[in-house]
Amino acid sequence: MSKVGVIMGSKSDLPVMQDAIDILKGFDIEVEVDIVSAHRTPDKLFDYGKNAHTRGIKVIVAGAGGAAHLPGMVASLSPLPVIGVPVKSSNSIDGWDSVLSILQMPGGVPVATVALNGAKNAGILAAQILGCSDKCILDKIIIYKEGLRIKVIESAKNL
């Protein structure tokens, strides 16, 4: 069964969301990927939000551009943690509309929000959430972070 659901409002979001998919697969975490448009497929949105946990999903990473209602609407329906990825899309106002639509959620409906086009960080955060209860994933995150540290040290040597 999949552990992380990666959803997006349209196929045009996939180049950004691929970073989350890739990092999760790099941690050997199963990923379920789907297009769930808050505005064009509301019935699918409701079904996904209400039932993702019954399919073994533990965390949802939701990317959307423009009005970016997908992460918040899924969070309103699901008992799972939702990480929102604002996507700078062709119908976006320099990305700020997407950032604010995901960031400014009302009390009681939290959505963790990463930077504009920050799907890689969303994938890492999803892995860290899973790592709280899965030592194998936690160990992979520790190794990953050590790799980041070593990369910086090596970069500094080459100045």
Short mmCIF file of all heavy atoms in Angstrom, two decimals, residues 6-71:
data_model
loop_
_atom_site.label_atom_id
_atom_site.label_comp_id
_atom_site.label_asym_id
_atom_site.label_seq_id
_atom_site.Cartn_x
_atom_site.Cartn_y
_atom_site.Cartn_z
N VAL A 6 0.65 11.88 -3.53
CA VAL A 6 1.07 13.12 -4.16
C VAL A 6 0.00 13.46 -5.20
O VAL A 6 -0.19 12.71 -6.16
CB VAL A 6 2.46 13.00 -4.82
CG1 VAL A 6 2.81 14.28 -5.57
CG2 VAL A 6 3.53 12.67 -3.78
N ILE A 7 -0.69 14.56 -4.95
CA ILE A 7 -1.75 14.97 -5.87
C ILE A 7 -1.48 16.38 -6.36
O ILE A 7 -0.76 17.16 -5.73
CB ILE A 7 -3.14 14.88 -5.21
CG1 ILE A 7 -3.23 15.73 -3.95
CG2 ILE A 7 -3.48 13.41 -4.91
CD1 ILE A 7 -4.63 15.78 -3.33
N MET A 8 -2.06 16.67 -7.50
CA MET A 8 -1.88 17.99 -8.10
C MET A 8 -3.15 18.37 -8.85
O MET A 8 -3.93 17.50 -9.21
CB MET A 8 -0.67 18.01 -9.03
CG MET A 8 -0.76 17.04 -10.18
SD MET A 8 0.84 16.45 -10.78
CE MET A 8 1.18 15.15 -9.60
N GLY A 9 -3.32 19.66 -9.05
CA GLY A 9 -4.52 20.15 -9.69
C GLY A 9 -4.61 19.86 -11.17
O GLY A 9 -5.70 19.72 -11.71
N SER A 10 -3.47 19.77 -11.84
CA SER A 10 -3.47 19.46 -13.27
C SER A 10 -2.13 18.87 -13.67
O SER A 10 -1.15 18.98 -12.93
CB SER A 10 -3.76 20.71 -14.11
OG SER A 10 -2.70 21.63 -14.02
N LYS A 11 -2.10 18.26 -14.83
CA LYS A 11 -0.88 17.62 -15.32
C LYS A 11 0.25 18.64 -15.49
O LYS A 11 1.42 18.30 -15.37
CB LYS A 11 -1.15 16.90 -16.63
CG LYS A 11 0.00 16.02 -17.08
CD LYS A 11 -0.34 15.20 -18.30
CE LYS A 11 0.84 14.32 -18.67
NZ LYS A 11 0.54 13.53 -19.86
N SER A 12 -0.10 19.89 -15.72
CA SER A 12 0.94 20.92 -15.88
C SER A 12 1.73 21.15 -14.59
O SER A 12 2.81 21.72 -14.62
CB SER A 12 0.32 22.24 -16.37
OG SER A 12 -0.57 22.76 -15.40
N ASP A 13 1.21 20.67 -13.46
CA ASP A 13 1.93 20.79 -12.18
C ASP A 13 2.96 19.68 -12.00
O ASP A 13 3.80 19.75 -11.10
CB ASP A 13 0.95 20.72 -11.00
CG ASP A 13 -0.07 21.85 -11.00
OD1 ASP A 13 0.25 22.94 -11.53
OD2 ASP A 13 -1.18 21.66 -10.48
N LEU A 14 2.92 18.65 -12.84
CA LEU A 14 3.79 17.49 -12.65
C LEU A 14 5.28 17.82 -12.68
O LEU A 14 6.03 17.28 -11.86
CB LEU A 14 3.47 16.40 -13.68
CG LEU A 14 4.27 15.10 -13.54
CD1 LEU A 14 4.08 14.48 -12.16
CD2 LEU A 14 3.87 14.11 -14.63
N PRO A 15 5.78 18.70 -13.56
CA PRO A 15 7.22 18.99 -13.51
C PRO A 15 7.68 19.50 -12.14
O PRO A 15 8.79 19.18 -11.71
CB PRO A 15 7.40 20.06 -14.60
CG PRO A 15 6.30 19.80 -15.57
CD PRO A 15 5.13 19.36 -14.70
N VAL A 16 6.86 20.25 -11.45
CA VAL A 16 7.21 20.71 -10.10
C VAL A 16 7.05 19.57 -9.10
O VAL A 16 7.93 19.29 -8.30
CB VAL A 16 6.33 21.92 -9.68
CG1 VAL A 16 6.49 22.24 -8.21
CG2 VAL A 16 6.67 23.13 -10.54
N MET A 17 5.92 18.88 -9.16
CA MET A 17 5.61 17.83 -8.19
C MET A 17 6.51 16.61 -8.33
O MET A 17 6.65 15.83 -7.39
CB MET A 17 4.14 17.44 -8.30
CG MET A 17 3.18 18.59 -7.99
SD MET A 17 3.47 19.38 -6.38
CE MET A 17 2.94 18.06 -5.31
N GLN A 18 7.15 16.47 -9.48
CA GLN A 18 8.06 15.34 -9.69
C GLN A 18 9.19 15.34 -8.66
O GLN A 18 9.68 14.28 -8.28
CB GLN A 18 8.64 15.39 -11.12
CG GLN A 18 9.41 14.14 -11.49
CD GLN A 18 8.52 12.91 -11.58
OE1 GLN A 18 7.47 12.92 -12.21
NE2 GLN A 18 8.95 11.84 -10.93
N ASP A 19 9.58 16.52 -8.18
CA ASP A 19 10.63 16.59 -7.16
C ASP A 19 10.20 15.87 -5.87
O ASP A 19 11.02 15.20 -5.23
CB ASP A 19 10.98 18.04 -6.84
CG ASP A 19 11.77 18.72 -7.95
OD1 ASP A 19 12.33 18.01 -8.81
OD2 ASP A 19 11.83 19.96 -7.95
N ALA A 20 8.95 16.00 -5.49
CA ALA A 20 8.45 15.29 -4.30
C ALA A 20 8.42 13.79 -4.56
O ALA A 20 8.84 12.99 -3.70
CB ALA A 20 7.06 15.78 -3.92
N ILE A 21 7.96 13.41 -5.72
CA ILE A 21 7.90 11.99 -6.08
C ILE A 21 9.29 11.38 -6.04
O ILE A 21 9.50 10.31 -5.45
CB ILE A 21 7.24 11.82 -7.46
CG1 ILE A 21 5.79 12.31 -7.43
CG2 ILE A 21 7.33 10.37 -7.95
CD1 ILE A 21 5.18 12.56 -8.81
N ASP A 22 10.24 12.07 -6.64
CA ASP A 22 11.61 11.55 -6.72
C ASP A 22 12.25 11.41 -5.35
O ASP A 22 12.89 10.40 -5.06
CB ASP A 22 12.48 12.44 -7.62
CG ASP A 22 12.07 12.39 -9.08
OD1 ASP A 22 11.33 11.46 -9.48
OD2 ASP A 22 12.49 13.30 -9.83
N ILE A 23 12.10 12.41 -4.49
CA ILE A 23 12.74 12.34 -3.17
C ILE A 23 12.11 11.24 -2.33
O ILE A 23 12.79 10.50 -1.63
CB ILE A 23 12.73 13.71 -2.44
CG1 ILE A 23 13.74 13.74 -1.30
CG2 ILE A 23 11.38 14.08 -1.91
CD1 ILE A 23 15.15 13.98 -1.72
N LEU A 24 10.79 11.09 -2.42
CA LEU A 24 10.11 10.02 -1.67
C LEU A 24 10.55 8.65 -2.15
O LEU A 24 10.85 7.77 -1.34
CB LEU A 24 8.59 10.18 -1.78
CG LEU A 24 8.02 11.37 -1.00
CD1 LEU A 24 6.64 11.73 -1.49
CD2 LEU A 24 8.02 11.09 0.49
N LYS A 25 10.61 8.47 -3.45
CA LYS A 25 11.08 7.19 -3.99
C LYS A 25 12.53 6.94 -3.60
O LYS A 25 12.93 5.80 -3.37
CB LYS A 25 10.89 7.14 -5.50
CG LYS A 25 9.43 6.99 -5.90
CD LYS A 25 9.26 6.86 -7.40
CE LYS A 25 7.81 6.62 -7.77
NZ LYS A 25 7.62 6.48 -9.22
N GLY A 26 13.32 8.00 -3.50
CA GLY A 26 14.71 7.88 -3.07
C GLY A 26 14.84 7.38 -1.64
O GLY A 26 15.84 6.76 -1.28
N PHE A 27 13.82 7.63 -0.83
CA PHE A 27 13.76 7.11 0.54
C PHE A 27 13.05 5.76 0.58
O PHE A 27 12.74 5.26 1.66
CB PHE A 27 13.04 8.10 1.47
CG PHE A 27 13.81 9.35 1.79
CD1 PHE A 27 13.23 10.60 1.65
CD2 PHE A 27 15.12 9.29 2.26
CE1 PHE A 27 13.92 11.76 1.96
CE2 PHE A 27 15.82 10.45 2.57
CZ PHE A 27 15.23 11.68 2.42
N ASP A 28 12.76 5.19 -0.59
CA ASP A 28 12.03 3.91 -0.70
C ASP A 28 10.65 3.97 -0.07
O ASP A 28 10.17 3.02 0.54
CB ASP A 28 12.84 2.75 -0.10
CG ASP A 28 14.12 2.50 -0.86
OD1 ASP A 28 14.09 2.57 -2.10
OD2 ASP A 28 15.14 2.23 -0.21
N ILE A 29 9.99 5.11 -0.23
CA ILE A 29 8.63 5.29 0.26
C ILE A 29 7.68 5.14 -0.92
O ILE A 29 7.89 5.75 -1.98
CB ILE A 29 8.46 6.68 0.92
CG1 ILE A 29 9.36 6.78 2.16
CG2 ILE A 29 7.00 6.96 1.25
CD1 ILE A 29 9.45 8.17 2.74
N GLU A 30 6.67 4.32 -0.73
CA GLU A 30 5.69 4.13 -1.79
C GLU A 30 4.90 5.42 -2.00
O GLU A 30 4.56 6.12 -1.05
CB GLU A 30 4.73 3.00 -1.44
CG GLU A 30 5.39 1.64 -1.41
CD GLU A 30 4.42 0.55 -1.06
OE1 GLU A 30 3.46 0.36 -1.85
OE2 GLU A 30 4.60 -0.08 -0.02
N VAL A 31 4.62 5.72 -3.27
CA VAL A 31 3.95 6.96 -3.63
C VAL A 31 2.77 6.66 -4.54
O VAL A 31 2.90 5.90 -5.50
CB VAL A 31 4.92 7.93 -4.35
CG1 VAL A 31 4.23 9.24 -4.68
CG2 VAL A 31 6.17 8.17 -3.53
N GLU A 32 1.64 7.24 -4.21
CA GLU A 32 0.47 7.20 -5.09
C GLU A 32 0.34 8.58 -5.71
O GLU A 32 0.28 9.58 -4.98
CB GLU A 32 -0.77 6.87 -4.25
CG GLU A 32 -2.07 6.96 -5.03
CD GLU A 32 -3.28 6.79 -4.13
OE1 GLU A 32 -3.59 5.65 -3.76
OE2 GLU A 32 -3.91 7.82 -3.80
N VAL A 33 0.33 8.66 -7.03
CA VAL A 33 0.28 9.95 -7.73
C VAL A 33 -1.04 10.06 -8.48
O VAL A 33 -1.46 9.11 -9.15
CB VAL A 33 1.47 10.08 -8.71
CG1 VAL A 33 1.42 11.43 -9.42
CG2 VAL A 33 2.79 9.89 -7.99
N ASP A 34 -1.68 11.24 -8.38
CA ASP A 34 -2.95 11.42 -9.08
C ASP A 34 -3.17 12.90 -9.36
O ASP A 34 -2.56 13.77 -8.73
CB ASP A 34 -4.10 10.88 -8.23
CG ASP A 34 -5.32 10.49 -9.05
OD1 ASP A 34 -5.37 10.77 -10.27
OD2 ASP A 34 -6.26 9.91 -8.46
N ILE A 35 -4.04 13.16 -10.30
CA ILE A 35 -4.51 14.52 -10.59
C ILE A 35 -5.90 14.63 -9.98
O ILE A 35 -6.79 13.83 -10.27
CB ILE A 35 -4.55 14.81 -12.10
CG1 ILE A 35 -3.13 14.77 -12.66
CG2 ILE A 35 -5.21 16.16 -12.37
CD1 ILE A 35 -3.06 14.83 -14.18
N VAL A 36 -6.05 15.61 -9.09
CA VAL A 36 -7.32 15.83 -8.39
C VAL A 36 -7.58 17.34 -8.43
O VAL A 36 -7.01 18.09 -7.65
CB VAL A 36 -7.24 15.34 -6.92
CG1 VAL A 36 -8.58 15.55 -6.23
CG2 VAL A 36 -6.82 13.88 -6.85
N SER A 37 -8.41 17.76 -9.35
CA SER A 37 -8.67 19.19 -9.48
C SER A 37 -9.79 19.62 -8.53
O SER A 37 -10.90 19.06 -8.57
CB SER A 37 -9.07 19.52 -10.92
OG SER A 37 -9.50 20.87 -11.01
N ALA A 38 -9.49 20.60 -7.69
CA ALA A 38 -10.50 21.10 -6.77
C ALA A 38 -11.69 21.72 -7.51
O ALA A 38 -12.82 21.66 -7.03
CB ALA A 38 -9.88 22.13 -5.82
N HIS A 39 -11.43 22.29 -8.68
CA HIS A 39 -12.48 23.02 -9.39
C HIS A 39 -13.13 22.22 -10.52
O HIS A 39 -14.29 22.42 -10.83
CB HIS A 39 -11.89 24.32 -9.97
CG HIS A 39 -11.31 25.18 -8.90
ND1 HIS A 39 -9.95 25.35 -8.76
CD2 HIS A 39 -11.88 25.89 -7.91
CE1 HIS A 39 -9.72 26.15 -7.73
NE2 HIS A 39 -10.87 26.49 -7.19
N ARG A 40 -12.36 21.31 -11.13
CA ARG A 40 -12.90 20.56 -12.26
C ARG A 40 -13.38 19.15 -11.90
O ARG A 40 -14.19 18.58 -12.62
CB ARG A 40 -11.86 20.49 -13.39
CG ARG A 40 -11.56 21.88 -13.97
CD ARG A 40 -10.49 21.81 -15.05
NE ARG A 40 -9.21 21.39 -14.50
CZ ARG A 40 -8.22 22.20 -14.15
NH1 ARG A 40 -8.37 23.50 -14.29
NH2 ARG A 40 -7.08 21.73 -13.69
N THR A 41 -12.90 18.62 -10.78
CA THR A 41 -13.34 17.28 -10.35
C THR A 41 -13.65 17.29 -8.84
O THR A 41 -13.01 16.58 -8.08
CB THR A 41 -12.28 16.20 -10.67
OG1 THR A 41 -11.04 16.53 -10.01
CG2 THR A 41 -12.05 16.07 -12.17
N PRO A 42 -14.62 18.09 -8.43
CA PRO A 42 -14.90 18.20 -6.99
C PRO A 42 -15.32 16.87 -6.36
O PRO A 42 -14.99 16.61 -5.20
CB PRO A 42 -15.99 19.26 -6.89
CG PRO A 42 -16.59 19.33 -8.25
CD PRO A 42 -15.50 18.96 -9.21
N ASP A 43 -16.04 16.03 -7.09
CA ASP A 43 -16.44 14.74 -6.52
C ASP A 43 -15.22 13.88 -6.25
O ASP A 43 -15.13 13.20 -5.22
CB ASP A 43 -17.41 13.99 -7.45
CG ASP A 43 -18.77 14.68 -7.53
OD1 ASP A 43 -19.13 15.40 -6.59
OD2 ASP A 43 -19.47 14.47 -8.55
N LYS A 44 -14.25 13.89 -7.17
CA LYS A 44 -13.01 13.14 -6.98
C LYS A 44 -12.24 13.69 -5.79
O LYS A 44 -11.67 12.96 -5.00
CB LYS A 44 -12.16 13.19 -8.26
CG LYS A 44 -10.91 12.36 -8.18
CD LYS A 44 -10.17 12.36 -9.53
CE LYS A 44 -8.94 11.48 -9.47
NZ LYS A 44 -8.24 11.45 -10.77
N LEU A 45 -12.22 15.03 -5.65
CA LEU A 45 -11.57 15.68 -4.52
C LEU A 45 -12.17 15.20 -3.21
O LEU A 45 -11.45 14.82 -2.28
CB LEU A 45 -11.70 17.20 -4.63
CG LEU A 45 -11.40 17.98 -3.36
CD1 LEU A 45 -9.91 18.14 -3.16
CD2 LEU A 45 -12.08 19.32 -3.38
N PHE A 46 -13.50 15.19 -3.13
CA PHE A 46 -14.16 14.76 -1.89
C PHE A 46 -13.86 13.29 -1.60
O PHE A 46 -13.56 12.94 -0.46
CB PHE A 46 -15.68 14.98 -1.99
CG PHE A 46 -16.10 16.34 -1.52
CD1 PHE A 46 -15.79 17.47 -2.27
CD2 PHE A 46 -16.79 16.50 -0.34
CE1 PHE A 46 -16.16 18.73 -1.84
CE2 PHE A 46 -17.17 17.76 0.10
CZ PHE A 46 -16.85 18.88 -0.65
N ASP A 47 -13.91 12.45 -2.62
CA ASP A 47 -13.61 11.04 -2.42
C ASP A 47 -12.17 10.85 -1.96
O ASP A 47 -11.90 10.10 -1.02
CB ASP A 47 -13.86 10.26 -3.72
CG ASP A 47 -13.57 8.79 -3.55
OD1 ASP A 47 -14.21 8.14 -2.71
OD2 ASP A 47 -12.66 8.28 -4.25
N TYR A 48 -11.24 11.53 -2.60
CA TYR A 48 -9.83 11.41 -2.23
C TYR A 48 -9.61 11.86 -0.79
O TYR A 48 -8.99 11.17 0.01
CB TYR A 48 -8.94 12.22 -3.19
CG TYR A 48 -7.49 11.90 -2.99
CD1 TYR A 48 -6.87 10.92 -3.74
CD2 TYR A 48 -6.73 12.54 -2.01
CE1 TYR A 48 -5.53 10.59 -3.54
CE2 TYR A 48 -5.41 12.22 -1.79
CZ TYR A 48 -4.81 11.25 -2.56
OH TYR A 48 -3.50 10.92 -2.34
N GLY A 49 -10.11 13.04 -0.46
CA GLY A 49 -9.90 13.58 0.88
C GLY A 49 -10.50 12.71 1.97
O GLY A 49 -9.89 12.52 3.03
N LYS A 50 -11.66 12.16 1.72
CA LYS A 50 -12.33 11.35 2.74
C LYS A 50 -11.78 9.94 2.85
O LYS A 50 -11.93 9.30 3.89
CB LYS A 50 -13.83 11.29 2.46
CG LYS A 50 -14.54 12.60 2.72
CD LYS A 50 -16.02 12.47 2.49
CE LYS A 50 -16.73 13.76 2.86
NZ LYS A 50 -18.18 13.63 2.77
N ASN A 51 -11.15 9.42 1.79
CA ASN A 51 -10.80 8.01 1.76
C ASN A 51 -9.32 7.68 1.61
O ASN A 51 -8.97 6.50 1.65
CB ASN A 51 -11.59 7.30 0.65
CG ASN A 51 -13.08 7.36 0.91
OD1 ASN A 51 -13.54 6.96 1.97
ND2 ASN A 51 -13.83 7.91 -0.04
N ALA A 52 -8.46 8.65 1.46
CA ALA A 52 -7.04 8.35 1.26
C ALA A 52 -6.49 7.50 2.39
O ALA A 52 -5.71 6.56 2.15
CB ALA A 52 -6.24 9.64 1.11
N HIS A 53 -6.87 7.79 3.61
CA HIS A 53 -6.36 7.02 4.76
C HIS A 53 -6.79 5.56 4.72
O HIS A 53 -6.10 4.70 5.24
CB HIS A 53 -6.77 7.69 6.08
CG HIS A 53 -8.23 7.63 6.37
ND1 HIS A 53 -9.15 8.44 5.75
CD2 HIS A 53 -8.93 6.83 7.21
CE1 HIS A 53 -10.35 8.17 6.20
NE2 HIS A 53 -10.26 7.18 7.10
N THR A 54 -7.90 5.25 4.07
CA THR A 54 -8.36 3.86 4.00
C THR A 54 -7.53 3.04 3.01
O THR A 54 -7.60 1.82 3.02
CB THR A 54 -9.85 3.77 3.61
OG1 THR A 54 -10.02 4.24 2.27
CG2 THR A 54 -10.72 4.58 4.57
N ARG A 55 -6.76 3.72 2.16
CA ARG A 55 -5.88 3.04 1.19
C ARG A 55 -4.44 2.96 1.70
O ARG A 55 -3.54 2.61 0.95
CB ARG A 55 -5.92 3.77 -0.15
CG ARG A 55 -7.26 3.71 -0.85
CD ARG A 55 -7.18 4.18 -2.29
NE ARG A 55 -6.47 5.44 -2.47
CZ ARG A 55 -7.00 6.65 -2.25
NH1 ARG A 55 -8.25 6.77 -1.84
NH2 ARG A 55 -6.29 7.74 -2.47
N GLY A 56 -4.20 3.33 2.94
CA GLY A 56 -2.87 3.24 3.52
C GLY A 56 -2.04 4.49 3.40
O GLY A 56 -0.88 4.52 3.81
N ILE A 57 -2.61 5.55 2.83
CA ILE A 57 -1.90 6.82 2.75
C ILE A 57 -1.73 7.35 4.16
O ILE A 57 -2.65 7.32 4.98
CB ILE A 57 -2.68 7.84 1.88
CG1 ILE A 57 -2.89 7.33 0.46
CG2 ILE A 57 -2.00 9.20 1.88
CD1 ILE A 57 -1.66 7.23 -0.38
N LYS A 58 -0.52 7.87 4.46
CA LYS A 58 -0.24 8.43 5.78
C LYS A 58 -0.05 9.94 5.74
O LYS A 58 -0.25 10.62 6.74
CB LYS A 58 1.03 7.80 6.37
CG LYS A 58 0.97 6.29 6.48
CD LYS A 58 -0.03 5.84 7.51
CE LYS A 58 0.00 4.34 7.67
NZ LYS A 58 -1.25 3.81 8.16
N VAL A 59 0.37 10.47 4.60
CA VAL A 59 0.61 11.90 4.42
C VAL A 59 0.20 12.23 2.99
O VAL A 59 0.44 11.45 2.07
CB VAL A 59 2.10 12.28 4.61
CG1 VAL A 59 2.31 13.77 4.44
CG2 VAL A 59 2.62 11.82 5.97
N ILE A 60 -0.38 13.42 2.81
CA ILE A 60 -0.75 13.89 1.47
C ILE A 60 0.09 15.11 1.13
O ILE A 60 0.18 16.05 1.92
CB ILE A 60 -2.25 14.25 1.39
CG1 ILE A 60 -3.12 13.02 1.67
CG2 ILE A 60 -2.58 14.87 0.03
CD1 ILE A 60 -4.59 13.34 1.87
N VAL A 61 0.71 15.08 -0.05
CA VAL A 61 1.41 16.24 -0.59
C VAL A 61 0.55 16.73 -1.75
O VAL A 61 0.33 16.00 -2.71
CB VAL A 61 2.83 15.89 -1.08
CG1 VAL A 61 3.49 17.10 -1.72
CG2 VAL A 61 3.68 15.35 0.08
N ALA A 62 0.04 17.96 -1.64
CA ALA A 62 -0.89 18.50 -2.64
C ALA A 62 -0.33 19.76 -3.26
O ALA A 62 -0.08 20.74 -2.55
CB ALA A 62 -2.25 18.77 -1.99
N GLY A 63 -0.15 19.74 -4.56
CA GLY A 63 0.36 20.90 -5.27
C GLY A 63 -0.71 21.53 -6.12
O GLY A 63 -1.51 20.84 -6.74
N ALA A 64 -0.73 22.87 -6.14
CA ALA A 64 -1.72 23.58 -6.94
C ALA A 64 -1.22 24.98 -7.24
O ALA A 64 -0.50 25.59 -6.45
CB ALA A 64 -3.05 23.64 -6.21
N GLY A 65 -1.65 25.48 -8.39
CA GLY A 65 -1.31 26.84 -8.80
C GLY A 65 -2.55 27.72 -8.82
O GLY A 65 -3.66 27.26 -8.56
N GLY A 66 -2.34 28.98 -9.13
CA GLY A 66 -3.46 29.92 -9.21
C GLY A 66 -4.15 30.05 -7.87
O GLY A 66 -3.52 30.29 -6.83
N ALA A 67 -5.46 29.85 -7.85
CA ALA A 67 -6.24 29.96 -6.61
C ALA A 67 -5.85 28.90 -5.59
O ALA A 67 -6.05 29.09 -4.39
CB ALA A 67 -7.73 29.85 -6.92
N ALA A 68 -5.30 27.79 -6.03
CA ALA A 68 -4.67 26.77 -5.18
C ALA A 68 -5.55 26.28 -4.04
O ALA A 68 -5.13 26.22 -2.89
CB ALA A 68 -3.32 27.27 -4.66
N HIS A 69 -6.77 25.90 -4.35
CA HIS A 69 -7.68 25.41 -3.32
C HIS A 69 -7.47 23.94 -2.95
O HIS A 69 -7.95 23.50 -1.90
CB HIS A 69 -9.13 25.61 -3.76
CG HIS A 69 -9.54 27.04 -3.80
ND1 HIS A 69 -9.96 27.66 -4.94
CD2 HIS A 69 -9.56 27.98 -2.83
CE1 HIS A 69 -10.23 28.92 -4.68
NE2 HIS A 69 -10.00 29.14 -3.40
N LEU A 70 -6.76 23.19 -3.77
CA LEU A 70 -6.63 21.75 -3.55
C LEU A 70 -6.08 21.38 -2.17
O LEU A 70 -6.71 20.59 -1.46
CB LEU A 70 -5.78 21.12 -4.66
CG LEU A 70 -5.54 19.61 -4.55
CD1 LEU A 70 -6.85 18.84 -4.60
CD2 LEU A 70 -4.61 19.16 -5.67
N PRO A 71 -4.93 21.91 -1.74
CA PRO A 71 -4.41 21.49 -0.43
C PRO A 71 -5.38 21.77 0.72
O PRO A 71 -5.61 20.90 1.58
CB PRO A 71 -3.11 22.28 -0.27
CG PRO A 71 -2.71 22.60 -1.68
CD PRO A 71 -3.99 22.81 -2.42
#
